[in-house]
Amino acid sequence: AVDCSRIASDASQRSKALVSRIHAAPAASASTLEALDELSAVLCSALDALELARSVHPDASFVAAADAAHQELSAMMGELNTDERLHVAVCDVLANPHVAASLSPELLRFAKCMAREFEHDGCRLPAVERSRLHELQSQEARLARQFSSSVGARGAGATGVWAPSWALKSLPASLLASLPRRGAQLYIPADHALLTTALQHISCEATRREVYEVREALSPRNLEVLQQLLETRRAIATILGSPSFAAHAL
């Protein structure tokens, strides 16, 4: 758990130092882009490590620590993605003919992409709307995490599915042998992992649909989380002037 906090703290301090360097640059230069590239690498490397830890670590307290650290850095990245001064610094590089001409093709492409990304992410929004956007993005990340982590949770009263044995013949032999039998039918318990494995092997369309519907209904409380997630994403899209969250993402 301490490691997660240290990773977040180190990445945050290094990122702030790089942002200060970019803000304090006396004139447009390639070093601005190099610092911005390093900033992205610092945050993404830390976020990737924390994402892995909170997704697969067996210790619940470590997962909680990794999740908290991930949320902290994600919020920081969200704010930097709409930083007006960083956007201006990139645009100044592109607007200076001498500096732009000195850039390698890769660095020039990077600069143009970053300028578009800042604009796409809302750097030109008024301060009040930008602050609201950051709140919504943090909320969206929390709800998305809550939804994905509860996908396999079994709700009260959840039941499995009886399926004809012939439709399950392609399942792994060890799994087939473990399933309860009733005449010509086999029972797949209400377990997300088992149902998912079954879906990977069943070729019968009707049985696949039934197994899929049972799996997706394991956690009915997740529907409320999903609704909140959709509403939050709709609000984000509205602030950014997009018809939908999907349209903005594309």
Side-chain angles (χ1 to χ4, degrees):
V2 175
D3 289 339
C4 296
S5 178
R6 179 181 54 77
I7 288 173
S9 178
D10 288 350
S12 177
Q13 290 178 19
R14 290 178 62 193
S15 297
K16 288 176 181 177
L18 287 164
V19 170
S20 296
R21 190 205 307 175
I22 296 171
H23 286 169
S29 69
S31 62
T32 293
L33 302 179
E34 291 163 356
L36 195 59
D37 188 34
E38 185 178 351
L39 172 61
S40 177
V42 166
L43 284 172
C44 289
S45 295
L47 284 168
D48 287 348
L50 293 169
E51 177 64 32
L52 176 63
R54 72 176 185 169
S55 298
V56 304
H57 202 283
D59 187 302
S61 62
F62 199 98
V63 169
D67 187 46
H70 191 284
Q71 289 185 43
E72 176 188 339
L73 287 185
S74 292
M76 183 179 191
M77 178 172 275
E79 292 181 8
L80 291 176
N81 286 343
T82 60
D83 189 305
E84 285 182 290
R85 293 171 69 187
L86 292 180
H87 176 245
V88 168
V90 175
C91 289
D92 285 348
V93 170
L94 292 171
N96 186 310
H98 176 71
V99 175
S102 70
L103 300 176
S104 67
E106 294 78 15
L107 209 51
L108 181 60
R109 191 179 306 115
F110 171 72
K112 292 178 178 178
C113 287
M114 289 307 301
R116 286 196 298 268
E117 250 185 74
F118 278 121
E119 294 159 14
H120 177 266
D121 291 342
C123 71
R124 290 176 171 169
L125 289 172
V128 173
E129 289 189 28
R130 231 180 314 140
S131 177
R132 175 57 178 157
L133 174 63
H134 297 155
E135 292 176 5
L136 288 169
Q137 288 173 330
S138 294
Q139 180 175 311
E140 189 273 340
R142 177 181 58 78
L143 289 169
R145 169 68 175 165
Q146 184 179 347
F147 179 80
S148 62
S149 63
S150 300
V151 163
R154 177 177 173 175
T159 59
V161 56
W162 285 99
S165 57
W166 63 263
L168 306 180
K169 62 182 180 181
S170 58
L171 265 63
S174 58
L175 177 55
L176 273 176
S178 69
L179 298 180
R181 179 180 291 273
R182 184 180 64 188
Q185 290 189 313
L186 293 172
Y187 181 73
I188 307 174
D191 179 271
H192 191 271
L194 289 178
L195 292 165
T196 298
T197 299
L199 283 171
Q200 293 170 348
H201 295 275
I202 296 172
S203 57
C204 172
E205 182 178 349
T207 303
R208 279 183 58 80
R209 176 178 291 277
E210 187 175 4
V211 171
Y212 174 80
E213 290 176 351
V214 168
R215 188 190 68 170
E216 297 306 296
L218 282 178
S219 183
R221 290 186 179 180
N222 233 10
L223 291 176
E224 182 180 345
V225 177
L226 178 60
Q227 185 59 41
Q228 293 175 12
L229 178 59
L230 292 173
E231 290 172 359
T232 302
R233 288 180 170 179
R234 187 179 302 115
I236 290 174
T238 299
I239 285 182
L240 292 170
S242 294
S244 68
F245 189 82
H248 175 71
L250 294 173

